[in-house]
Amino acid sequence: MDGKEMARKHKKLILAGILCCSIVVDGGFFPMVNFNPQNPVDLGILHRLLVVMGALWFHQAVGALEAVVFPKWSGGRIAVFNVFLVASGLVCRYLLEFGEVSNSYNFTVLNVFFQVTLLALMSTAVCLFERRKS
């Protein structure tokens, strides 16, 4: 049994793993870039670069897995699934910090839009590219 057959056989387990890891990664790496000028925390350029690269690397792996697990899903359906993954991480992060002052300067429209758009597009693009490649 090759890797693709095994991935399709264990589809539900892989989906559960992707969801759990996405919640941790997307919630933990939020905001990758904070566009709010009132943000009192400045972590430096190296830290930001590591966070962005880590999030993009994770979503590249998610896209590659989706290409194997969902070979017949349309690009739109994959994109909606990826938006759900990123949004679920952000919702969990919001609930974790509910009532804290950091939510007021982290959860701005621009920060959320940037995070959801960039990461969902990354996973979707990799998935579609991997499908065309094979």
Side-chain angles (χ1 to χ4, degrees):
M1 182 182 301
D2 70 342
K4 289 184 179 184
E5 288 178 29
M6 195 173 345
R8 288 187 185 118
K9 182 179 178 186
H10 299 290
K11 186 180 195 176
K12 290 181 183 178
L13 183 63
I14 290 171
L15 284 176
I18 288 173
L19 180 62
C20 290
C21 290
S22 288
I23 288 172
V24 170
V25 169
D26 295 330
F29 285 171
F30 179 77
M32 291 189 319
V33 178
N34 199 332
F35 294 104
N36 188 350
Q38 298 169 346
N39 179 22
V41 179
D42 184 20
L43 301 173
I45 190 72
L46 184 58
H47 184 266
R48 283 189 202 142
L49 181 64
L50 289 173
V51 167
V52 170
M53 294 307 293
L56 291 177
W57 173 79
F58 173 77
H59 280 277
Q60 180 269 331
V62 167
L65 272 173
E66 289 170 346
V68 174
V69 176
F70 306 124
K72 296 181 180 168
W73 277 22
S74 68
R77 195 169 176 190
I78 291 288
V80 168
F81 178 71
N82 287 325
V83 167
F84 168 76
L85 287 177
V86 177
S88 62
L90 295 183
V91 166
C92 289
R93 170 72 179 256
Y94 183 82
L95 293 175
L96 179 70
E97 295 183 353
F98 186 74
E100 293 186 20
V101 128
S102 62
N103 272 355
S104 64
Y105 58 81
N106 282 342
F107 282 90
T108 63
V109 173
L110 187 57
N111 287 347
V112 172
F113 178 77
F114 177 76
Q115 183 103 356
V116 171
T117 303
L118 178 67
L119 297 180
L121 280 175
M122 177 69 176
S123 296
T124 304
V126 168
C127 177
L128 297 176
F129 178 74
E130 288 290 327
R131 279 191 195 165
R132 285 193 184 127
K133 196 168 79 171
S134 45

